[in-house]
Amino acid sequence: YERCAVVTVPSAATVEALRVRGYQIGRFEVFGNGVDAALFHPGRRDEATRAKLGGSGRTLLVYAGRVSREKGLDALADGYLALRQRRDDVHLVVVGDGPERDALADRLADLATFTGFLSGEELARTMASGDVFVFPSRTDTLGRAVVEAQACGLPAVVQGDGGRRECL
C-alpha cells in the first residue's frame, strides 16, 4: 500500500483500520457505495412473496448475507429469540447460505425462514417484501446489503461502528 499514489477503500472505517495497523499511506479515496436502483426499489414489494416468507400479519425482519460465524448471527438469534418471547408478530427471514446455516436453522426451527442464496430480481423482491433489515456483522467494511435494503425502502438496523454505519 505504501508505494501507491492513492489507495481506494470502501469506507472511512477502512481508512482508520489501515492507519491503526501502522500503514503510512499518503492518500486515501473512499469509493462510494452504490446500488442498482432499477433493481432494488420499493416497487418490488410483493404480498405473495411476503406470505411465502411467513409475513402474513407479521413484521418481517430480513438478514441477507453469508451465514457464517463472523457475521454475528449468534447475537442476531439471541436477540430475535428474546423478541419472540415478548411478541409473536415478527418473523425472521435469513437470505443466504454458508457453513452456519444448518446450526442456525436448527436453533430457530420454524421461527425463521431460510431462503438459501438469492440474487437478482428474486433477491430484490425478497428484500423489498420485508419490513426491517437487520445486519449484525461487525466485520463488514462495506455493507452493500444494507444499501440494497435501504434502496428497497427498508429501515436498517446495524452495528454502530465501521462501514455499515456509514451506509445509513
Side-chain angles (χ1 to χ4, degrees), residues 45-114:
R45 188 175 180 91
D46 178 70
E47 290 306 315
T49 299
R50 284 183 58 76
K52 182 177 84 171
L53 296 171
S56 296
R58 291 186 173 146
T59 299
L60 286 183
L61 309 176
V62 178
Y63 165 81
R66 184 163 163 75
V67 184
S68 57
R69 187 169 311 278
E70 73 275 3
K71 297 295 185 177
L73 298 177
D74 283 337
L76 175 62
D78 291 344
Y80 175 63
L81 291 171
L83 178 62
R84 282 300 300 249
Q85 287 181 347
R86 292 192 307 273
R87 53 191 301 175
D88 67 355
D89 64 342
V90 294
H91 189 75
L92 178 64
V93 177
V94 178
V95 178
D97 210 347
E100 297 298 315
R101 179 182 172 172
D102 290 343
L104 189 61
D106 288 346
R107 182 172 179 200
L108 298 177
D110 62 347
L111 298 178
T113 299
F114 289 78

Side-chain angles (χ1 to χ4, degrees), residues 87-146:
R87 53 191 301 175
D88 67 355
D89 64 342
V90 294
H91 189 75
L92 178 64
V93 177
V94 178
V95 178
D97 210 347
E100 297 298 315
R101 179 182 172 172
D102 290 343
L104 189 61
D106 288 346
R107 182 172 179 200
L108 298 177
D110 62 347
L111 298 178
T113 299
F114 289 78
T115 68
F117 178 80
L118 301 178
S119 63
E121 289 185 16
E122 189 176 17
L123 172 61
R125 184 175 52 256
T126 299
M127 286 182 130
S129 297
D131 297 300
V132 178
F133 187 72
V134 291
F135 198 73
S137 176
R138 296 188 79 108
T139 60
D140 288 65
T141 57
L142 182 58
R144 179 167 311 281
V146 175

